[in-house]
Amino acid sequence: MKTLLLSIGLLGALHLTGLAQKVPPAPVGVQLYSFRNQFAKDVPGTMAKVREMGFREVELAGTYGLSNTEFKKLLDQNGLKAISTGAAFERLETDVPGIIREAKEFGARYVSCAWIPHPGDSFTQFDADRAVEVFNTAGKLLAQNGLSFCYHIHGYEFQKRPDGSTYFDYLAKNLDPKYVNFELDVFWAKMPGEDPVALLQKYPKRFLLSHLKDRKPGTPGAQNGRADVETNVTLGQGDIGIAEFMKAARKAGVRHHFIEDESSRSMEQVPQSIAFLRANK
């Protein structure tokens, strides 16, 4: 691995100088989880492909066997800036200092959490209250250390409470916006039947980050946070209305967008998604 890293370091400057002249910057960033299968086989090569697509900003999803230092070096050598890094709910409960240390090692500004533990497919008031306590506490500590915390919605939060509101409404009301905001994954908003644009309008300035992914038309909805990853299609080819979302996001205060394509076709689809975004500015 050290040999591979050294090779990237020796050749990177000339290679990336040429790329910088040929490839215009992508209009948004990418969630590196999109290329998890490729990273598992070849970390330096996959990182170089991310750069070749034009990306400059990324959201992290693990380091694929490398140390944080080694992974950060690869990011730097490829001209990629880590905007956000993930943190598991359990670590937010027990190890906020460790999360802060790692985020700073990568130079990330945001920390996101993508799952609130809950039994089976049902999200309950107990689960929501637990999340409010953990997120508000962790978010305050993160803010005191110059980091912004966002909870990444996953669909199950839109299950109904007894009063007819959703658990997401409850979270938005009870999570302190000074310390906790949201990452709007448009796919996971659409799956339980929500309108991503309507969510932006209902909760302006609360969605600081977004995941851009499109959904194959005809995909059945769900409120359990689960779906077939092969229903992720190229942006603009699905039923979410990405162009309309991007226009609304500019007004609603979204600061960073990340393409996320969980399908087996991500290496082919992501460049097509970039082209769609460029054509629909």
Side-chain angles (χ1 to χ4, degrees), residues 174-192:
N174 289 279
L175 290 170
D176 190 332
K178 294 194 300 292
Y179 307 127
V180 187
N181 287 288
F182 299 98
E183 183 167 43
L184 178 50
D185 186 307
V186 295
F187 180 96
W188 289 117
K190 186 75 170 181
M191 282 298 288

Side-chain angles (χ1 to χ4, degrees), residues 12-276:
L14 289 174
H15 179 60
L16 293 179
T17 298
L19 282 176
Q21 296 173 350
K22 297 177 182 178
V23 182
V28 300
V30 67
Q31 164 53 259
L32 294 183
Y33 185 75
S34 303
F35 307 119
R36 62 199 179 280
N37 296 324
Q38 292 82 3
F39 273 116
K41 298 174 183 177
D42 180 3
V43 180
T46 303
M47 195 78 80
K49 289 181 180 179
V50 171
R51 167 68 186 210
E52 287 171 7
M53 291 179 189
F55 289 112
R56 301 295 184 268
E57 296 186 347
V58 300
E59 187 172 47
L60 303 181
T63 60
Y64 302 95
L66 299 186
S67 69
N68 291 351
T69 300
E70 290 172 324
F71 201 81
K72 177 63 163 60
K73 185 180 294 185
L74 273 180
L75 289 169
D76 291 343
Q77 289 170 344
N78 285 275
L80 299 170
K81 178 175 177 54
I83 300 299
S84 175
T85 186
F89 187 92
E90 291 78 9
R91 285 197 72 196
L92 289 164
E93 278 188 303
T94 62
D95 187 27
V96 176
I99 293 170
I100 293 169
R101 182 181 66 253
E102 290 179 9
K104 289 184 178 293
E105 286 175 350
F106 289 116
R109 168 70 191 279
Y110 295 89
V111 173
S112 66
C113 177
W115 195 265
I116 299 169
H118 57 279
D121 290 341
S122 295
F123 192 73
T124 69
Q125 188 64 49
F126 173 84
D127 304 318
D129 285 334
R130 180 186 178 196
V132 167
E133 180 179 358
V134 171
F135 288 167
N136 277 335
T137 301
K140 184 175 183 179
L141 292 172
L142 291 166
Q144 290 171 347
N145 285 272
L147 298 167
S148 296
F149 177 65
C150 290
Y151 169 61
H152 169 297
I153 66 168
H154 231 105
Y156 50 76
E157 314 87 352
F158 297 98
Q159 294 178 29
K160 296 290 187 180
R161 301 176 67 230
D163 65 3
S165 66
T166 68
Y167 285 104
F168 180 79
D169 293 325
Y170 182 84
L171 292 172
K173 180 179 179 180
N174 289 279
L175 290 170
D176 190 332
K178 294 194 300 292
Y179 307 127
V180 187
N181 287 288
F182 299 98
E183 183 167 43
L184 178 50
D185 186 307
V186 295
F187 180 96
W188 289 117
K190 186 75 170 181
M191 282 298 288
E194 298 294 322
D195 178 352
V197 170
L199 283 172
L200 290 177
Q201 294 170 343
K202 185 176 181 179
Y203 295 105
K205 310 301 181 184
R206 294 303 304 273
F207 292 101
L208 305 185
L209 309 175
S210 92
H211 278 181
L212 302 175
K213 62 177 74 162
D214 220 339
R215 188 180 74 162
K216 182 179 179 180
T219 299
Q223 286 193 319
N224 60 6
R226 295 182 177 86
D228 181 354
V229 295
E230 301 305 338
T231 61
N232 285 199
V233 296
T234 300
L235 298 184
Q237 294 186 3
D239 63 2
I240 288 178
I242 297 296
E244 293 78 10
F245 174 79
M246 294 298 287
K247 292 176 183 177
R250 285 193 286 271
K251 299 177 182 178
V254 179
R255 299 176 184 174
H256 297 275
H257 298 279
F258 304 100
I259 295 173
E260 184 179 41
D261 188 328
E262 298 188 54
S263 77
S264 60
R265 305 173 303 281
S266 60
M267 197 58 73
E268 295 75 36
Q269 290 187 168
V270 168
Q272 297 169 7
S273 292
I274 295 171
F276 172 81

